[in-house]
Structures are given as structure tokens and as C-alpha cells.
Amino acid sequence: MENLLNNLNPSQRAAVEFCDGPSLVIAGAGSGKTRVLTYKIAYLLKQGLPPYYILALTFTNKAAREMKERIAEVAGEKAARQLWMGTFHSIFSRILRNEAELLGYNSNFTIFDSSDSKNLVKLIINDMDLDDKVYRPGPVHGQISKAKNNLITTTVYANNEEILEYDRLSKRPKIHEIYSRYQRRLKSSNSMDFDDLLMNTNILFRDNPKVLVDYQNRFQYILVDEYQDTNVSQHRIVSQLADVHQRVCVVGDDAQSIYSFRGANIDNILNFKSNYPNTKTFKLEQNYRSTQNIVSAANSLIKKNSEQIFKNVFSERHEGEKIEVISAFSDYEEGVIVANKIARMRLELHSTYKDFAILYRTNAQSRVFEESLRKANIPYRIYGGLSFYQRKEIKDVVSYFRLIVNPSDEIAFQRVINYPTRGIGNVTVNKITDAAQQHNVGLWEIISNLNKYELQINAGTKKRITGFQSLIADFIELSKEQSAFEVAKEVIKKTGIAQESFSDLSPEGMSRTQNIQELLNAMNEFVEMRLEQGEEDTQLVDFLSEAALLTDQDTDKESGDDKITLMTVHASKGLEFEHVFIVGMEEDLFPSSMAKSEIRGLEEERRLFYVALTRAKQTCVITFAKSRFKHGQTEPARQSQFLNDIDVKFIQTETTSLQSPREGATDGFWESMRRGAQSSRTSMKKEELSFTKKTAVSQTSSVNTLSKEANALQEGQTIEHERFGIGTVISIENNGNDRRAFVEFDTVGKKQLLLKFAKFTIVKDE
DNA sequence: TAACACTTGTTTTTT
DNA sequence: ACAAGTGTTA
């Protein structure tokens, strides 16, 4: 441990060693924040605190996984696995499943993603006969979500004059009623949305003091990463859990708070000290990531914001190159410039592709870069956008799973009742929904007892409905015995999805088929991995509860490939790259026109830019275009005001662009440039389909990840398995990723090990 | 009820 | 430019 602590600088070390009360670690960009968290956990373990007493909350699953791996290196695999470490959403969904009955839920509850939530809001708006142009599902759900993140329950909402007045002024006085109905229908669907996972945890603790005490005792030490991005609901959970022992350490950087649109409240970090009067504050100010020039440029930018905790971030690395600002004539040219520059820099600097990242404000901007990179033969990987689980064909299949696990799930029900088409149309579905509302029961209850509820439907329709009902009922039975993978195969087969999908030979259809296949593969892996780890939870419900909180960053298995990275600035938080391109640096795009109305919004955009800048280790290039293709036409654009916020002495403006317009031919040039962009866009179409297919599939496709040991393993050898102990290899089957060993263990008997996952060492050769 | 053509809104960021 | 929603026809 001593030599571990020697790896830290004095302020990092001080932050790690203080464990007796509340502490706030203000960590500048690149200052070794994750390092401090990791070492601190290792330090606590070393002090004798059992791992299952530690709660560590991260912002993404990926961050949790990486931190676990690092802790495993210093404190051992076993301890790392016993830690309560994960995102707020995943940790508390686990707790809510355990305590579901206390809240009137069943532990099989479904988790709605935002599109499910919006669908439900839309159904309610229709039921209430409200004008869906005034009450648009997106913003209405946004308003509800904001309320929930601020712990404003339906009752509080309906009695809060200020909020009601706000809704009246925005011409949507009925939101409080939509909110109540929304919550009621979530509950009758035995479902929770993302915000419920946090709000219901608060309700659980509020209404069940004994349960709260249990968890207060369990979580002896609490660590929270990215505290600047927590909302009121999350803050309240943490402060209740830490209320008694006050052993809590939060880490964050107010300058990197970029999620207020999701309810994050920067005050949580700014006011932390007043919440915990005995707080000890540590500041990590040395940036180990970036050149002095980048750090100074970022400092000069963030100084323009009014609200912040004072700190002096500095770098002792070399001065480095100035930030290069390049202007392009069009978004299309911007793409070409960036692609060419990356190709050139890679050769000149002897870099690899994975040293490069292109960061943009909106996902929509990725298109142009995909195109130019493909033309330049530069391998790339896009993060974000439509994630695997949000694809239509995947949602359809997953909806069957949801319905099987939780027949009350109304949204899943509506999604699959007529998919694949089985002659149950809108008219019939409406009759079912009406009956459900009338008798105040779920849709499943209605179709399970058609006669009882006297639906006005003809015999043919009735037969089709009962057919559907027994189809699902059979799956439910099956799922009690079989693993998620086995049930999934049956679902695909028996519902006709397989048949429908395989007979569609269009490129889109084939891509859908592949994605479904990929889902099955993922489920198979899930089951095998669980079995390998000696866990019995391999059923559909277990798969769903994990999959619902997965983002596509979490399913990334190809990070080893040499590809450049394309992602939004938001998605880049916490990452670093040698060379960063920040593109589309234009007014109304970055800062976004949406955010500019309020000062706080503009400051958040500036922090977002700060985040983008501080991702770069060596070089940072900023580009903007003078015209941009949006909403179906080319519109003029001008450079972002944020470029003026960086002190000019850290910037170098590139005037010679790739191709400058010929004199006197400006108009013609522009035209051809635009046409060039257009035609290549349209000509891309066919090619693009096969391309989307590739990316979609690649998200979960696996590579051969067998370790040396796994490849070397032979019959007759003795191994020591992490869980099962000592055993002898009886036989080996298959090869590559599917390579398996049958092993006779001394204590637990015969086991099948999937070598891709198995954790063991070879003890003795025969 | 389903398939097709036509119209409309939509684009900020995401657990 | 695109997806989702609306309306018309078979």
C-alpha cells in the first residue's frame, strides 16, 4: 500500500487518506480524478473495510467497469466484485427489485426507456382529448421528468401554485393531470421510467425508515464520481444514506457540469459544504493530460463563466502547439479538410488512428464525417446515435420479452399485439384499452378473460386475441424453466418473427435479421457468462434488468481496433485523445440555439466547450463552416462566439484552406460544392444501407478474446479456478471463442467452462 | 384491416 | 432529409 500511495501527488494523497468525514474533491480536468477514487477504495479495503460496505456511484456503466478492473489489480478480483459499484440507476434498480413489494410493485418490473415514456405520455394525451400540437409528448415528458428529478411528486405538483402558474402561462395547464395519469399507468404497468428508479428510491427511504437504516448500515462509506452532474433526487439519496456516519466522498469538477438539461444541479457541488458543515475540501489542480497551451486556453475560456469554484489548473508538460482554427466553406468541405488533415498528421506524427477523435455538438453532424472518412479510407467508429437496443426490430423482440416477464407492461403489449401482423388492428386494440380503463385493470387481464369483460368483437377477432394470449402464456410457462436464450429462440420462432424476417431479402431486411441474430448472440453470451461465474440468474428477467440500463458505450468490445473516434462532446466526458478535432464550431450550433436564451444555458454550453478542449493531450484543432446543410437546405453560418472567449495568444488561425475559391468564380464554386455534397449524399444511399448494417452489427460482435492460458489449456492439466478451486481438465471442445473445457473440480464436481470468460490459472501439466 | 401515398414536424446533449 | 402520422383505397 505504501508504494501505492507513492504514486500519488501530495494533494491526491491527502484526498485518498482522509476517510473520517465528508470530503469534497474538486478535480480539474485531467488531474487524476479516477486515480484518486480507485486508490481511495483500495485504501479503504486495506484499512479493513469489507468491500460490500462500500458504495461507489459512477456516471456510466463503463466507468464502473473500468474502475472495478483497476481495483481488482490492486485489491484482488474477489474484493472488486463484492463492491457496490455502478451507476445510480443500476445500483438503485437492484435495490428497488429487492424492496419492490414495499412500494406496491412486483420485483419483475420493467424499466421504460425514454421512448417508452414518450409513448405512454402520448397515449394519455390522446385519452384526454388534448391537442397534441400543444401537448407534444416530448416536451410534456420533459416537464414531468424535471419534476421527478426534483422530487416533486404528483401531489406536490398539483398543489404548487408556482408550477401550475408556469404551466398556465405556457398554455399547458393540464400537465399536472397528465403527470398523475402517467404515474398511475406506470404503476399499473408494473413499470418504472429512468426517473422513477431514483424517485422511488427516495420514496422507499421516506416511507420505510427501517429499510433506510438497513442501507445506512450497509453502506459504511460512499463515494460519488462526477458529482457536478447529479440531480436533486440523486443528491437526496446520497445525503440520506450518509446522514448518520457522514463518511462520504464526492468527486467532481464544477467546470465540467454539462447535464442540467437532464436535471443535474450544479448547486449540489457548489453547496456541498453547507450541506455537510465538516466537509474537508481537496483540490486537484495539476493537469497531467494536456500541454500547457491547451490547459491555458481552456482556463482562459472558462474564466468567462460567472459561477464557479476557484481553482488554478496548471500543466507541467511541454508547452505544445497552439490550437489551430480552420474555417471551411461548407460542412461538406469541413469533412474533407478534417479527413485529409488526420491522414497527414498520422503520417507526420507517426500516430495511430485511435489517437484521433472528432467531437461534435449534435449526433446529426456525424454524417458528413462518415462520408469523408470513408472516401479517405480512414477507419472510424461512431459512438452514440441510435443505440442497439433502440432499433425498431430489437425493441419489437425485446417487447415480447418484457411482456413475458411482466404481462402488465402496457407499452410492450401495444407494441407486439399486432406484430407481426395477426389481424388485430387499431379498432380492436382501442376496444381492449377502453375496457381496461373502464374496469381499471391491465390489458393482459382483459385478453385473458375476454368473456368476463364482454367485448364487442366478432368471433374471428376473438379467436385471434385468444391465440395471442395463449402464445404469450406458453412463453411465460417456458420462461419459468428455461434460460433467457432458450426462451428467446422460441419467441423468434413461434411468433413468426423469424419467418417474416428471413423472407425479407431487401438490404434493410437483411440488416434487421442480422441485428436480431446479434441480439440472440448477446443473450447466449449473457447466459454463458453468468453460468461461468457460478451465478444462477440466467432467466429473461435477469437479462432484461441488465439490458434496460445498457448504453452502446457499454456494449463496446472493439476498443482495441485502430480506428478514429467520432462522438458528441457529451459522450466524450471522461475520455482523452492525443489529437482532438472539435468541429462545427458555429453560432447556433455550438452554442446551440436552444441553450442561448438563458445565461445559465450559455454558461453550460461554454463548459461543454471546455470539456471538449480538455480531452486533447497533444493537439487540438477547431473547425467551423461558413455554410451548413440543415433542414433540407444550405444555410449561412458564422463562427461561434466561444472562439472569442479563448485568449488569442493560444490560438493560430489557419487561412489557407484546402481549396480556396477561384477568383470571380465564387458563385459557381459554391454551387458545385453544394451539388457535390448533395450528389454524394444521394449516391451514398445504396452503399449506406450495407454500411449501417455493418456498424449495427459490429456493436455487439465479438472478437477472439481468448487469453494465452485459455488457448494453451490441454486435457489432463490441473487448473485453479477462481471460484471453483482446483480441478482437472477432462476434455476440451470447440475452438476460438466457443472453446470449452470440461473440468472435474475437487470440491464442486464437474463443470463446463467457456474459456472466453473463465478465470483460472494452470497449476500443473500432466 | 393493411398497404400505400401523401403530409407534417423535427433536431441538443443521455442514464 | 427523414421519420412518423394521416388518409385513402382495396
Side-chain angles (χ1 to χ4, degrees):
Chain A
M1 195 66 210
E2 264 316 301
N3 39 8
L4 276 183
L5 289 176
N6 289 339
N7 291 336
L8 302 170
N9 73 25
S11 31
Q12 290 173 333
R13 185 170 176 155
V16 167
E17 287 179 321
F18 178 79
C19 298
D20 295 327
S23 59
L24 168 64
V25 181
I26 302 292
S31 63
K33 176 175 64 100
T34 316
R35 196 186 183 81
V36 164
L37 275 173
T38 316
Y39 280 60
K40 185 154 184 130
I41 292 169
Y43 184 77
L44 287 166
L45 293 170
K46 203 74 182 177
Q47 305 267 298
L49 190 64
Y52 43 85
Y53 281 158
I54 300 176
L55 173 65
L57 298 164
T58 58
F59 196 69
T60 60
N61 293 304
K62 191 178 167 207
R65 199 175 54 226
E66 286 173 0
M67 211 182 292
K68 256 186 202 169
E69 279 165 16
R70 288 169 71 169
I71 290 168
E73 283 168 24
V74 276
E77 189 85 31
K78 195 170 166 220
R81 211 176 21 225
Q82 291 179 320
L83 290 166
W84 285 77
M85 171 137 61
T87 62
F88 273 91
H89 292 87
S90 69
I91 295 284
F92 294 108
S93 70
R94 237 164 96 191
I95 289 178
L96 286 172
R97 279 192 203 280
N98 288 334
E99 315 289 347
E101 274 76 20
L102 290 174
L103 291 165
Y105 276 89
N106 178 295
S107 67
N108 286 348
F109 65 80
T110 318
I111 297 172
F112 277 17
D113 69 16
S114 20
S115 75
D116 299 321
S117 300
K118 263 184 258 168
N119 283 337
L120 181 55
V121 169
K122 191 191 275 171
L123 290 176
I124 292 167
I125 288 168
N126 286 337
D127 283 352
M128 291 173 67
D129 283 320
L130 295 170
D131 182 353
D132 61 1
K133 293 197 175 59
V134 181
Y135 289 90
R136 296 211 317 281
V140 171
H141 176 248
Q143 175 85 356
I144 293 173
S145 169
K146 201 168 123 196
K148 290 166 91 166
N149 283 324
N150 283 297
L151 293 177
I152 296 165
T153 59
T154 51
T155 333
V156 178
Y157 198 108
N159 292 304
N160 185 317
E161 223 8 81
E162 203 182 322
I163 301 175
L164 295 177
E165 179 64 16
Y166 174 86
D167 285 347
R168 276 195 292 273
L169 285 174
S170 51
K171 302 267 195 301
R172 293 184 298 199
K174 294 277 191 188
I175 290 190
H176 73 275
E177 195 186 335
I178 301 176
Y179 180 20
S180 306
R181 288 187 183 222
Y182 175 74
Q183 286 306 103
R184 238 178 294 144
R185 274 178 71 174
L186 272 171
K187 193 148 186 184
S188 68
S189 288
N190 191 32
S191 304
M192 299 195 194
D193 67 9
F194 285 140
D195 308 319
D196 280 331
L197 296 176
L198 308 173
M199 189 169 76
N200 284 337
T201 302
N202 275 296
I203 292 174
L204 175 75
F205 291 162
R206 183 196 66 192
D207 296 345
N208 302 278
K210 276 190 187 148
V211 175
L212 173 61
V213 172
D214 277 356
Y215 287 104
Q216 283 172 335
N217 290 335
R218 168 147 349 151
F219 301 132
Q220 289 289 313
Y221 203 98
I222 301 172
L223 303 101
V224 189
D225 193 11
E226 309 282 13
Y227 203 72
Q228 76 281 357
D229 288 320
T230 54
N231 58 37
V232 168
S233 190
Q234 291 167 318
H235 173 77
R236 183 93 190 101
I237 292 174
V238 171
S239 55
Q240 286 191 87
L241 287 174
D243 192 41
V244 182
H245 53 64
Q246 300 258 318
R247 302 220 297 166
V248 54
C249 169
V250 306
V251 183
D253 180 4
D254 53 299
Q256 295 185 61
S257 161
I258 54 174
Y259 278 97
S260 77
F261 71 91
R262 211 170 79 187
N265 188 347
I266 192 169
D267 296 334
N268 285 345
I269 200 161
L270 297 174
N271 299 337
F272 188 81
K273 277 195 246 181
S274 36
N275 278 307
Y276 298 90
N278 297 324
T279 298
K280 216 162 161 190
T281 304
F282 302 90
K283 284 185 189 172
L284 309 181
E285 297 177 306
Q286 179 164 5
N287 176 311
Y288 294 95
R289 178 188 295 153
S290 316
T291 64
Q292 288 189 24
N293 188 78
I294 289 169
V295 170
S296 310
N299 283 344
S300 73
L301 170 82
I302 204 68
K303 262 212 316 251
K304 300 288 195 293
N305 270 8
S306 55
E307 292 182 65
Q308 54 194 302
I309 298 173
F310 173 80
K311 58 187 147 328
N312 174 37
V313 182
F314 66 98
S315 166
E316 285 181 356
R317 299 193 52 201
H318 61 284
E319 193 183 341
E321 299 289 315
K322 290 190 175 178
I323 293 175
E324 193 175 348
V325 177
I326 304 175
S327 72
F329 289 95
S330 63
D331 51 349
Y332 173 76
E333 196 203 30
E334 183 185 38
V336 178
I337 291 174
V338 170
N340 288 349
K341 196 162 175 73
I342 289 175
R344 206 169 57 230
M345 280 172 71
R346 187 177 81 103
L347 295 177
E348 282 170 6
L349 303 169
H350 307 291
S351 312
T352 55
Y353 286 122
K354 59 176 186 296
D355 290 334
F356 293 86
I358 300 176
L359 307 182
Y360 34 77
R361 178 65 242 267
T362 66
N363 281 308
Q365 286 165 260
S366 69
R367 279 277 151 129
V368 190
F369 293 97
E370 290 178 62
E371 199 183 318
S372 61
L373 292 168
R374 201 136 28 91
K375 277 186 185 154
N377 266 324
I378 298 174
Y380 61 89
R381 168 138 169 72
I382 299 185
Y383 292 79
L386 202 53
S387 89
F388 185 74
Y389 286 98
Q390 286 170 337
R391 281 163 207 282
K392 187 188 168 298
E393 63 273 22
I394 300 301
K395 283 215 83 159
D396 287 335
V397 176
V398 169
S399 293
Y400 272 102
F401 302 161
R402 278 166 50 172
L403 197 59
I404 293 164
V405 168
N406 173 22
S408 310
D409 186 334
E410 184 183 337
I411 296 295
F413 183 99
Q414 302 241 10
R415 225 184 147 101
V416 300
I417 176 86
N418 200 29
Y419 170 81
T421 48
R422 50 171 71 86
I424 307 176
N426 266 332
V427 181
T428 313
V429 172
N430 282 338
K431 282 182 191 160
I432 299 173
T433 349
D434 287 350
Q437 304 251 319
Q438 230 172 62
H439 297 92
N440 200 24
V441 294
L443 303 178
W444 178 251
E445 165 71 14
I446 299 285
I447 67 161
S448 302
N449 303 282
L450 275 182
N451 294 327
K452 186 171 153 196
Y453 294 102
E454 296 171 341
L455 254 68
Q456 298 298 309
I457 44 173
N458 63 42
T461 311
K462 195 166 167 181
K463 204 174 149 199
R464 288 191 284 266
I465 296 175
T466 45
F468 175 73
Q469 197 274 342
S470 59
L471 178 76
I472 301 294
D474 286 350
F475 291 147
I476 293 175
E477 281 311 307
L478 188 70
S479 72
K480 287 179 183 159
E481 292 149 20
Q482 300 285 331
S483 75
F485 178 57
E486 296 299 326
V487 180
K489 279 196 294 193
E490 281 297 299
V491 170
I492 304 288
K493 216 188 300 167
K494 291 253 173 69
T495 56
I497 292 176
Q499 206 189 358
E500 194 204 59
S501 159
F502 282 123
S503 59
D504 184 350
L505 295 176
S506 66
E508 301 96 319
M510 302 203 358
S511 139
R512 279 196 288 271
T513 308
Q514 280 195 36
N515 283 332
I516 292 173
Q517 191 59 54
E518 206 48 50
L519 174 67
L520 288 177
N521 290 346
M523 295 180 80
N524 189 22
E525 276 194 22
F526 168 83
V527 171
E528 301 250 11
M529 176 130 71
R530 286 278 169 113
L531 286 177
E532 166 53 34
Q533 290 177 352
E535 291 170 38
E536 303 292 312
D537 318 326
T538 57
Q539 286 179 308
L540 213 43
V541 58
D542 307 305
F543 176 77
L544 281 186
S545 47
E546 192 153 289
L549 296 170
L550 239 43
T551 63
D552 64 333
Q553 302 220 18
D554 302 318
T555 49
D556 173 25
K557 291 182 187 166
E558 298 185 286
S559 44
D561 292 9
D562 189 25
K563 291 176 176 174
I564 79 164
T565 299
L566 274 71
M567 57 169 61
T568 64
V569 181
H570 280 91
S572 76
K573 192 174 76 161
L575 305 177
E576 58 181 31
F577 303 91
E578 295 294 328
H579 315 292
V580 168
F581 288 74
I582 306 170
V583 300
M585 208 59 220
E586 293 141 40
E587 202 60 22
D588 292 332
L589 183 59
F590 200 173
S592 148
S593 52
M594 304 287 191
K596 277 168 65 178
S597 48
E598 288 172 81
I599 300 177
R600 273 202 138 177
L602 188 68
E603 295 213 343
E604 174 148 319
E605 293 284 307
R606 195 179 278 115
R607 289 194 295 269
L608 190 57
F609 186 28
Y610 176 83
V611 168
L613 280 175
T614 52
R615 297 311 95 198
K617 296 164 85 170
Q618 290 292 335
T619 33
C620 180
V621 178
I622 299 175
T623 65
F624 65 92
K626 288 174 180 158
S627 73
R628 183 167 293 275
F629 198 80
K630 58 177 151 182
H631 307 130
Q633 55 183 354
T634 307
E635 288 179 359
R638 60 181 205 283
Q639 81 171 64
S640 166
Q641 57 172 300
F642 289 159
L643 287 174
N644 304 324
D645 290 340
I646 301 177
D647 193 321
V648 286
K649 63 178 182 258
F650 306 119
I651 292 184
Q652 170 201 341
T653 308
E654 172 85 76
T655 41
T656 50
S657 84
L658 190 70
Q659 297 159 283
S660 40
R662 289 166 313 216
E663 259 181 89
T666 327
D667 281 3
F669 173 83
W670 273 76
E671 252 325 288
S672 63
M673 203 48 143
R674 202 178 66 73
R675 268 202 305 276
Q678 288 239 0
S679 68
S680 58
R681 269 193 185 96
T682 38
S683 72
M684 211 175 81
K685 279 235 165 107
K686 285 182 212 89
E687 195 189 338
E688 189 182 30
L689 294 166
S690 57
F691 157 74
T692 32
K693 180 175 68 191
K694 241 186 280 164
T695 38
V697 167
S698 70
Q699 280 177 343
T700 46
S701 76
S702 46
V703 281
N704 187 329
T705 48
L706 258 59
S707 67
K708 274 205 305 283
E709 299 243 282
N711 271 319
L713 196 66
Q714 283 170 13
E715 264 178 51
Q717 284 176 325
T718 303
I719 63 167
E720 177 166 6
H721 186 271
E722 193 187 292
R723 281 184 94 83
F724 305 137
I726 304 283
T728 313
V729 180
I730 302 166
S731 64
I732 300 225
E733 275 185 15
N734 298 340
N735 262 317
N737 270 341
D738 210 29
R739 189 171 159 92
R740 291 150 203 259
F742 291 84
V743 182
E744 179 76 39
F745 285 101
D746 294 352
T747 46
V748 292
K750 198 171 159 187
K751 288 269 175 192
Q752 183 186 150
L753 301 181
L754 191 63
L755 293 174
K756 179 162 51 155
F757 302 123
K759 300 216 164 86
F760 66 91
T761 49
I762 299 174
V763 181
K764 188 176 93 208
D765 284 346
E766 198 51 29

